[in-house]
Short mmCIF file of all heavy atoms in Angstrom, two decimals:
data_model
loop_
_atom_site.label_atom_id
_atom_site.label_comp_id
_atom_site.label_asym_id
_atom_site.label_seq_id
_atom_site.Cartn_x
_atom_site.Cartn_y
_atom_site.Cartn_z
N GLN A 1 104.27 60.60 81.81
CA GLN A 1 103.54 59.45 81.25
C GLN A 1 104.37 58.18 81.35
O GLN A 1 103.87 57.11 81.68
CB GLN A 1 103.17 59.73 79.80
CG GLN A 1 102.35 58.64 79.17
CD GLN A 1 101.95 59.00 77.75
OE1 GLN A 1 102.32 60.04 77.23
NE2 GLN A 1 101.18 58.14 77.13
N LEU A 2 105.66 58.29 81.08
CA LEU A 2 106.55 57.14 81.19
C LEU A 2 106.61 56.65 82.63
O LEU A 2 106.56 55.45 82.89
CB LEU A 2 107.96 57.51 80.69
CG LEU A 2 109.02 56.42 80.79
CD1 LEU A 2 108.68 55.25 79.87
CD2 LEU A 2 110.39 56.99 80.45
N TYR A 3 106.69 57.58 83.57
CA TYR A 3 106.79 57.20 84.98
C TYR A 3 105.49 56.58 85.48
O TYR A 3 105.50 55.58 86.18
CB TYR A 3 107.16 58.44 85.81
CG TYR A 3 107.20 58.18 87.29
CD1 TYR A 3 108.23 57.43 87.85
CD2 TYR A 3 106.22 58.69 88.13
CE1 TYR A 3 108.27 57.18 89.21
CE2 TYR A 3 106.25 58.45 89.48
CZ TYR A 3 107.29 57.70 90.02
OH TYR A 3 107.32 57.47 91.36
N ARG A 4 104.37 57.19 85.13
CA ARG A 4 103.08 56.72 85.65
C ARG A 4 102.58 55.45 84.96
O ARG A 4 102.05 54.55 85.60
CB ARG A 4 102.02 57.80 85.50
CG ARG A 4 102.19 58.92 86.48
CD ARG A 4 101.03 59.87 86.39
NE ARG A 4 101.21 60.95 87.36
CZ ARG A 4 100.55 62.08 87.32
NH1 ARG A 4 99.66 62.28 86.37
NH2 ARG A 4 100.77 63.01 88.23
N HIS A 5 102.70 55.40 83.63
CA HIS A 5 102.10 54.30 82.87
C HIS A 5 103.11 53.36 82.24
O HIS A 5 102.73 52.33 81.70
CB HIS A 5 101.18 54.87 81.78
CG HIS A 5 100.15 55.81 82.31
ND1 HIS A 5 99.13 55.41 83.14
CD2 HIS A 5 100.00 57.14 82.15
CE1 HIS A 5 98.37 56.46 83.46
NE2 HIS A 5 98.88 57.53 82.87
N GLY A 6 104.38 53.73 82.25
CA GLY A 6 105.41 52.89 81.66
C GLY A 6 105.36 52.85 80.15
O GLY A 6 105.90 51.93 79.54
N LYS A 7 104.75 53.87 79.54
CA LYS A 7 104.63 53.90 78.08
C LYS A 7 105.54 54.98 77.50
O LYS A 7 105.51 56.13 77.91
CB LYS A 7 103.19 54.19 77.67
CG LYS A 7 102.24 53.08 78.00
CD LYS A 7 100.85 53.40 77.50
CE LYS A 7 99.90 52.27 77.87
NZ LYS A 7 98.54 52.56 77.44
N ALA A 8 106.34 54.58 76.54
CA ALA A 8 107.19 55.51 75.81
C ALA A 8 106.89 55.34 74.33
O ALA A 8 106.66 54.23 73.84
CB ALA A 8 108.66 55.23 76.08
N TYR A 9 106.85 56.45 73.61
CA TYR A 9 106.50 56.41 72.20
C TYR A 9 107.68 56.75 71.29
O TYR A 9 107.62 56.50 70.10
CB TYR A 9 105.34 57.36 71.92
CG TYR A 9 104.09 56.97 72.68
CD1 TYR A 9 103.72 57.64 73.83
CD2 TYR A 9 103.33 55.88 72.27
CE1 TYR A 9 102.60 57.26 74.53
CE2 TYR A 9 102.21 55.49 72.97
CZ TYR A 9 101.84 56.19 74.10
OH TYR A 9 100.74 55.79 74.81
N ARG A 10 108.72 57.31 71.86
CA ARG A 10 109.93 57.62 71.10
C ARG A 10 111.09 56.86 71.72
O ARG A 10 111.20 56.77 72.94
CB ARG A 10 110.24 59.12 71.17
CG ARG A 10 109.28 60.00 70.46
CD ARG A 10 109.70 61.43 70.72
NE ARG A 10 109.12 62.33 69.76
CZ ARG A 10 109.43 63.61 69.66
NH1 ARG A 10 110.33 64.13 70.46
NH2 ARG A 10 108.87 64.36 68.76
N PHE A 11 111.97 56.39 70.85
CA PHE A 11 113.09 55.58 71.34
C PHE A 11 114.39 56.02 70.69
O PHE A 11 114.40 56.50 69.56
CB PHE A 11 112.85 54.10 71.07
CG PHE A 11 111.67 53.55 71.82
CD1 PHE A 11 110.42 53.50 71.22
CD2 PHE A 11 111.82 53.10 73.11
CE1 PHE A 11 109.33 53.02 71.92
CE2 PHE A 11 110.74 52.62 73.81
CZ PHE A 11 109.49 52.57 73.21
N ILE A 12 115.46 55.83 71.43
CA ILE A 12 116.81 56.02 70.90
C ILE A 12 117.58 54.76 71.26
O ILE A 12 117.90 54.52 72.43
CB ILE A 12 117.49 57.27 71.50
CG1 ILE A 12 116.71 58.53 71.10
CG2 ILE A 12 118.94 57.36 71.07
CD1 ILE A 12 117.25 59.81 71.68
N PHE A 13 117.81 53.93 70.27
CA PHE A 13 118.50 52.65 70.42
C PHE A 13 117.91 51.80 71.54
O PHE A 13 118.62 51.25 72.37
CB PHE A 13 120.01 52.84 70.62
CG PHE A 13 120.68 53.47 69.43
CD1 PHE A 13 121.21 54.74 69.50
CD2 PHE A 13 120.76 52.78 68.23
CE1 PHE A 13 121.82 55.32 68.41
CE2 PHE A 13 121.38 53.35 67.13
CZ PHE A 13 121.90 54.62 67.22
N GLY A 14 116.61 51.71 71.58
CA GLY A 14 115.92 50.86 72.53
C GLY A 14 115.60 51.49 73.88
O GLY A 14 114.85 50.93 74.66
N PHE A 15 116.15 52.64 74.16
CA PHE A 15 115.86 53.35 75.40
C PHE A 15 114.81 54.42 75.11
O PHE A 15 114.75 54.96 74.00
CB PHE A 15 117.11 54.03 75.96
CG PHE A 15 118.20 53.07 76.30
CD1 PHE A 15 119.29 52.88 75.44
CD2 PHE A 15 118.16 52.34 77.48
CE1 PHE A 15 120.29 51.99 75.76
CE2 PHE A 15 119.17 51.46 77.81
CZ PHE A 15 120.23 51.27 76.94
N SER A 16 114.01 54.75 76.10
CA SER A 16 113.01 55.79 75.87
C SER A 16 113.74 57.10 75.60
O SER A 16 114.69 57.46 76.30
CB SER A 16 112.06 55.92 77.06
OG SER A 16 112.67 56.62 78.11
N ALA A 17 113.29 57.79 74.57
CA ALA A 17 113.96 59.03 74.16
C ALA A 17 113.90 60.08 75.26
O ALA A 17 114.86 60.83 75.47
CB ALA A 17 113.33 59.57 72.88
N VAL A 18 112.80 60.12 75.99
CA VAL A 18 112.68 61.14 77.03
C VAL A 18 113.70 60.89 78.15
O VAL A 18 114.29 61.83 78.69
CB VAL A 18 111.23 61.23 77.56
CG1 VAL A 18 110.86 60.04 78.42
CG2 VAL A 18 111.02 62.51 78.32
N SER A 19 113.97 59.65 78.48
CA SER A 19 114.98 59.34 79.51
C SER A 19 116.37 59.73 79.04
O SER A 19 117.14 60.34 79.79
CB SER A 19 114.95 57.85 79.86
OG SER A 19 113.71 57.47 80.35
N VAL A 20 116.69 59.38 77.81
CA VAL A 20 118.01 59.70 77.26
C VAL A 20 118.19 61.21 77.17
O VAL A 20 119.24 61.75 77.57
CB VAL A 20 118.20 59.04 75.88
CG1 VAL A 20 119.47 59.52 75.21
CG2 VAL A 20 118.19 57.53 76.00
N MET A 21 117.15 61.90 76.71
CA MET A 21 117.29 63.34 76.53
C MET A 21 117.31 64.07 77.88
O MET A 21 117.96 65.11 78.00
CB MET A 21 116.18 63.87 75.62
CG MET A 21 116.27 63.31 74.19
SD MET A 21 117.94 63.28 73.48
CE MET A 21 118.19 65.00 73.18
N TYR A 22 116.60 63.56 78.87
CA TYR A 22 116.71 64.16 80.20
C TYR A 22 118.12 64.00 80.75
O TYR A 22 118.65 64.90 81.40
CB TYR A 22 115.68 63.57 81.18
CG TYR A 22 114.50 64.49 81.42
CD1 TYR A 22 113.23 64.11 81.04
CD2 TYR A 22 114.68 65.72 82.03
CE1 TYR A 22 112.15 64.95 81.25
CE2 TYR A 22 113.60 66.57 82.25
CZ TYR A 22 112.34 66.17 81.85
OH TYR A 22 111.29 67.01 82.07
N LEU A 23 118.73 62.87 80.49
CA LEU A 23 120.12 62.67 80.90
C LEU A 23 121.03 63.69 80.20
O LEU A 23 121.91 64.29 80.83
CB LEU A 23 120.57 61.25 80.58
CG LEU A 23 122.00 60.89 80.96
CD1 LEU A 23 122.20 60.96 82.47
CD2 LEU A 23 122.36 59.52 80.44
N VAL A 24 120.80 63.90 78.91
CA VAL A 24 121.57 64.90 78.16
C VAL A 24 121.35 66.29 78.74
O VAL A 24 122.30 67.06 78.92
CB VAL A 24 121.19 64.86 76.65
CG1 VAL A 24 121.77 66.05 75.91
CG2 VAL A 24 121.66 63.56 76.02
N VAL A 25 120.11 66.62 79.07
CA VAL A 25 119.79 67.93 79.64
C VAL A 25 120.52 68.13 80.97
O VAL A 25 121.10 69.18 81.22
CB VAL A 25 118.26 68.12 79.80
CG1 VAL A 25 117.94 69.30 80.69
CG2 VAL A 25 117.60 68.29 78.44
N VAL A 26 120.50 67.12 81.82
CA VAL A 26 121.15 67.24 83.13
C VAL A 26 122.66 67.42 82.97
O VAL A 26 123.26 68.30 83.60
CB VAL A 26 120.82 66.00 84.00
CG1 VAL A 26 121.72 65.93 85.22
CG2 VAL A 26 119.36 66.02 84.41
N VAL A 27 123.27 66.62 82.13
CA VAL A 27 124.73 66.73 81.93
C VAL A 27 125.08 68.07 81.29
O VAL A 27 126.01 68.76 81.73
CB VAL A 27 125.25 65.55 81.08
CG1 VAL A 27 126.70 65.77 80.68
CG2 VAL A 27 125.10 64.24 81.84
N ALA A 28 124.33 68.47 80.26
CA ALA A 28 124.61 69.74 79.59
C ALA A 28 124.40 70.93 80.53
O ALA A 28 125.19 71.88 80.51
CB ALA A 28 123.73 69.88 78.35
N ALA A 29 123.38 70.88 81.37
CA ALA A 29 123.14 71.97 82.32
C ALA A 29 124.31 72.08 83.30
O ALA A 29 124.73 73.20 83.65
CB ALA A 29 121.83 71.75 83.06
N GLN A 30 124.84 70.96 83.73
CA GLN A 30 126.00 71.00 84.62
C GLN A 30 127.23 71.56 83.91
O GLN A 30 127.96 72.38 84.47
CB GLN A 30 126.29 69.62 85.17
CG GLN A 30 125.27 69.14 86.16
CD GLN A 30 125.58 67.76 86.70
OE1 GLN A 30 126.63 67.20 86.43
NE2 GLN A 30 124.66 67.21 87.46
N VAL A 31 127.44 71.13 82.69
CA VAL A 31 128.59 71.63 81.92
C VAL A 31 128.49 73.14 81.76
O VAL A 31 129.45 73.88 82.00
CB VAL A 31 128.68 70.92 80.55
CG1 VAL A 31 129.65 71.64 79.63
CG2 VAL A 31 129.10 69.47 80.73
N HIS A 32 127.32 73.63 81.35
CA HIS A 32 127.16 75.08 81.13
C HIS A 32 127.18 75.85 82.45
O HIS A 32 127.69 76.97 82.50
CB HIS A 32 125.89 75.36 80.35
CG HIS A 32 125.92 74.82 78.96
ND1 HIS A 32 126.88 75.19 78.05
CD2 HIS A 32 125.13 73.92 78.33
CE1 HIS A 32 126.68 74.54 76.91
NE2 HIS A 32 125.62 73.76 77.06
N GLY A 33 126.63 75.26 83.50
CA GLY A 33 126.68 75.92 84.80
C GLY A 33 128.10 76.11 85.30
O GLY A 33 128.48 77.19 85.75
N TRP A 34 128.90 75.05 85.21
CA TRP A 34 130.31 75.16 85.60
C TRP A 34 131.07 76.10 84.68
O TRP A 34 131.96 76.83 85.12
CB TRP A 34 130.97 73.78 85.63
CG TRP A 34 130.61 72.99 86.84
CD1 TRP A 34 129.82 71.89 86.89
CD2 TRP A 34 130.99 73.27 88.19
NE1 TRP A 34 129.70 71.45 88.18
CE2 TRP A 34 130.40 72.29 89.00
CE3 TRP A 34 131.78 74.25 88.78
CZ2 TRP A 34 130.57 72.26 90.38
CZ3 TRP A 34 131.95 74.22 90.16
CH2 TRP A 34 131.35 73.24 90.94
N GLN A 35 130.71 76.08 83.41
CA GLN A 35 131.36 76.98 82.46
C GLN A 35 131.09 78.44 82.85
O GLN A 35 132.00 79.27 82.83
CB GLN A 35 130.86 76.69 81.05
CG GLN A 35 131.57 77.41 79.96
CD GLN A 35 131.06 77.00 78.58
OE1 GLN A 35 130.30 76.05 78.44
NE2 GLN A 35 131.46 77.73 77.57
N LEU A 36 129.85 78.75 83.20
CA LEU A 36 129.52 80.11 83.64
C LEU A 36 130.24 80.47 84.94
O LEU A 36 130.74 81.59 85.10
CB LEU A 36 128.00 80.26 83.81
CG LEU A 36 127.19 80.37 82.53
CD1 LEU A 36 125.71 80.30 82.84
CD2 LEU A 36 127.53 81.66 81.81
N TYR A 37 130.28 79.53 85.88
CA TYR A 37 130.95 79.77 87.15
C TYR A 37 132.43 80.07 86.94
O TYR A 37 132.96 81.06 87.46
CB TYR A 37 130.76 78.56 88.07
CG TYR A 37 131.53 78.66 89.36
CD1 TYR A 37 131.11 79.50 90.38
CD2 TYR A 37 132.69 77.92 89.55
CE1 TYR A 37 131.82 79.60 91.57
CE2 TYR A 37 133.40 78.01 90.73
CZ TYR A 37 132.96 78.85 91.73
OH TYR A 37 133.68 78.94 92.89
N TYR A 38 133.12 79.21 86.18
CA TYR A 38 134.54 79.43 85.94
C TYR A 38 134.79 80.69 85.11
O TYR A 38 135.80 81.37 85.30
CB TYR A 38 135.17 78.21 85.26
CG TYR A 38 135.36 77.03 86.17
CD1 TYR A 38 135.07 75.74 85.74
CD2 TYR A 38 135.83 77.17 87.47
CE1 TYR A 38 135.24 74.64 86.56
CE2 TYR A 38 136.00 76.09 88.30
CZ TYR A 38 135.71 74.82 87.84
OH TYR A 38 135.88 73.75 88.66
N SER A 39 133.89 80.99 84.19
CA SER A 39 134.04 82.22 83.40
C SER A 39 133.94 83.45 84.28
O SER A 39 134.68 84.41 84.11
CB SER A 39 132.98 82.28 82.30
OG SER A 39 133.18 81.25 81.36
N LYS A 40 133.03 83.43 85.24
CA LYS A 40 132.90 84.55 86.17
C LYS A 40 134.16 84.69 87.02
O LYS A 40 134.66 85.80 87.22
CB LYS A 40 131.67 84.33 87.07
CG LYS A 40 131.52 85.32 88.20
CD LYS A 40 131.22 86.72 87.68
CE LYS A 40 130.87 87.66 88.81
NZ LYS A 40 131.93 88.59 89.15
N LYS A 41 134.69 83.57 87.49
CA LYS A 41 135.93 83.62 88.27
C LYS A 41 137.08 84.14 87.40
O LYS A 41 137.92 84.92 87.87
CB LYS A 41 136.28 82.23 88.81
CG LYS A 41 135.27 81.62 89.74
CD LYS A 41 135.31 82.20 91.10
CE LYS A 41 136.36 81.48 91.89
NZ LYS A 41 136.47 81.97 93.24
#
């Protein structure tokens, strides 16, 4: 909805919450992925 219509209903310090949380998800997924990889090694 944000991408198509430019409407955001939740915010975190002026940024759309979905954008901020997707950034958190991407960074956290990388951290946990590398953690699993190094743990296996």
Side-chain angles (χ1 to χ4, degrees):
Q1 183 177 3
L2 178 65
Y3 177 71
R4 286 187 180 164
H5 306 293
K7 292 183 181 178
Y9 298 102
R10 292 176 161 188
F11 295 94
I12 297 178
F13 296 112
F15 299 101
S16 78
V18 73
S19 300
V20 172
M21 296 316 287
Y22 257 116
L23 180 64
V24 169
V25 166
V26 167
V27 171
Q30 289 180 7
V31 167
H32 294 302
W34 283 110
Q35 188 177 350
L36 285 171
Y37 174 75
Y38 286 138
S39 294
K40 172 67 172 105
K41 299 283 275 181

